[in-house]
Amino acid sequence: MSRLTYVVKRFLLAVPVVWLGTTMTWFIVFMGPIDPATRLLSQGQTRNPAAYRAAQEQLGLDTPPLEHYVEYMTNLLTFDLGQTFLLYQGSSVNALILDFLPRTLWLGFWSVLIAVLIGVPLGFYAGMRSNTAADYLASFGGIVWRAMPNFWLAIMLLALLGSLQGLVGVSWQNFLVPIDAISGSPDMSRIGTVDGFLAATKKVLPAALVLGSASMGNEMRIGRTAVLEVRNEDFVDMAKAKGVSDRALVWKHVLRNALVPLVPIITSEAFLLIGGSVLVETVFGINGIGWLFFRAAIQGDLPLVGTLMYVFILIIVGINLVQDLLYTIIDPRVGLEGA
């Protein structure tokens, strides 16, 4: 099986995963106990059967379940996502996603990058210097970072940045971001300019540090274990016997093979970042798709909840496909079964 055939096969296998996840989302959201029609009505109209039926017709909830399911799946497939029920009533869901999603992707990008650039090198460093003071210090730091919940770390970081107000004379919001930032969200419209890039980056760095903290500790711990296992492999001893230099031995043999078990760890942590972004965006006031999902769930805006779940499913499946592609790059043996 060639590498291209392997990737195409994994892509085709992802299609039923998306369908199954979307079907479960429809059943949980629209067949659940939430009734958005009662939320649309005022308190005096909830006991009026005629007003209730009119609200159901307005929201499209009076159709039979099977017909509603087929229409729902068709709209998702064609990305005809309609309009919101309650939150931003009458607004296009497509427009909301295009407005809120880039902020979450920007936050997630920096969260993953911080975790990888700090956690993986520290794990490799500790693994190459096992049972030393540096190894013990790095391992202890990884355990501490891994143990701190995101919401607690976010509150503590906010308290720390808030305390800087009395020291530097400005609020932490104005200290980290431009004055014209609104509602704690990065301005993604100027991301193509140098000033806009720096402003958007500095805006999400505190939240990205919180969101990537648990991943950072986990990747450091797994990286250290992977290096220790690879160092004891027979091919490493054979390379030493052939006179391979220490530099080539570390970079070509040890570290590259140690990356193989880290790929699913990094991608699985990216899955957690999607769920964690709901809490972190809410605490830091970043109006991303996680914050939008939280508001839609609280308000009972079922179409928006179902659509955002569909977006989350696509992101997770896409990350999984990237994981399979990275496997084929790091380890050429992947995808050659039966060849």
Side-chain angles (χ1 to χ4, degrees), residues 1-338:
M1 184 187 301
S2 66
R3 182 177 298 179
L4 178 60
T5 304
Y6 173 78
V7 174
V8 172
K9 180 181 177 181
R10 302 300 296 180
F11 177 80
L12 293 177
L13 290 175
V15 174
V17 175
V18 174
W19 170 78
L20 181 60
T22 308
T23 300
M24 294 178 62
T25 298
W26 173 85
F27 183 80
I28 294 173
V29 171
F30 291 98
M31 298 293 105
I34 300 178
D35 186 5
T38 59
R39 297 175 180 244
L40 186 64
L41 299 173
S42 61
Q43 186 174 3
Q45 293 178 315
T46 54
R47 297 181 181 180
N48 188 338
Y52 180 78
R53 286 193 299 270
Q56 281 192 315
E57 293 177 1
Q58 178 183 348
L59 300 177
L61 299 178
D62 57 334
T63 58
L66 181 59
E67 181 181 346
H68 185 273
Y69 169 76
V70 173
E71 181 181 359
Y72 171 79
M73 297 294 288
T74 304
N75 291 338
L76 291 184
L77 183 63
T78 58
F79 282 92
D80 181 14
L81 306 181
Q83 296 179 336
T84 60
F85 280 1
L86 303 170
L87 189 65
Y88 304 104
Q89 188 174 2
S91 301
S92 170
V93 176
N94 292 42
L96 288 177
I97 292 177
L98 292 177
D99 185 26
F100 286 84
L101 182 58
R103 300 165 188 163
T104 296
L105 294 180
W106 191 242
L107 172 61
F109 168 76
W110 282 105
S111 302
V112 174
L113 192 64
I114 289 175
V116 170
L117 293 183
I118 297 179
V120 174
L122 283 179
F124 284 177
Y125 180 84
M128 296 302 299
R129 291 164 176 78
S130 58
N131 300 323
T132 63
D135 177 27
Y136 296 145
L137 180 62
S139 300
F140 177 76
I143 294 174
V144 172
W145 277 107
R146 187 71 181 87
M148 289 189 292
N150 283 342
F151 67 90
W152 180 86
L153 184 60
I155 295 174
M156 292 298 102
L157 185 58
L158 282 176
L160 175 63
L161 293 174
S163 65
L164 295 178
Q165 181 175 358
L167 298 177
V168 300
V170 294
S171 66
W172 71 270
Q173 291 93 340
N174 293 335
F175 180 72
L176 291 174
V177 300
I179 302 297
D180 58 355
I182 300 175
S183 302
S185 301
D187 185 5
M188 304 302 295
S189 62
R190 300 189 301 117
I191 198 69
T193 64
V194 176
D195 293 339
F197 175 84
L198 293 177
T201 301
K202 289 189 293 184
K203 184 68 179 181
V204 300
L205 278 182
L209 179 62
V210 171
L211 196 55
S213 61
S215 304
M216 187 191 313
N218 200 30
E219 289 164 12
M220 188 182 70
R221 181 174 57 85
I222 300 298
R224 176 184 180 276
T225 304
V227 169
L228 291 177
E229 291 179 353
V230 173
R231 286 176 59 187
N232 295 324
E233 294 289 343
D234 294 337
F235 67 85
V236 175
D237 296 332
M238 184 177 296
K240 289 180 181 179
K242 289 182 176 181
V244 177
S245 64
D246 292 341
R247 184 183 184 89
L249 183 68
V250 171
W251 289 101
K252 186 177 181 180
H253 297 281
V254 176
L255 297 188
R256 181 174 181 178
N257 286 276
L259 282 174
V260 175
L262 270 174
V263 169
I265 299 300
I266 295 174
T267 52
S268 64
E269 296 293 346
F271 300 157
L272 297 178
L273 294 181
I274 296 176
S277 66
V278 177
L279 296 174
V280 173
E281 287 179 9
T282 302
V283 173
F284 281 93
I286 297 176
N287 295 341
I289 199 170
W291 178 86
L292 183 64
F293 178 82
F294 173 77
R295 289 289 307 278
I298 293 297
Q299 295 292 331
D301 198 328
L302 300 187
L304 188 55
V305 171
T307 301
L308 294 179
M309 283 297 300
Y310 176 65
V311 174
F312 290 153
I313 291 171
L314 291 181
I315 293 176
I316 291 175
V317 172
I319 293 174
N320 211 359
L321 292 175
V322 172
Q323 169 185 308
D324 295 332
L325 181 61
L326 290 176
Y327 267 140
T328 63
I329 296 175
I330 297 175
D331 190 351
R333 298 170 296 178
V334 175
L336 298 179
E337 298 88 349

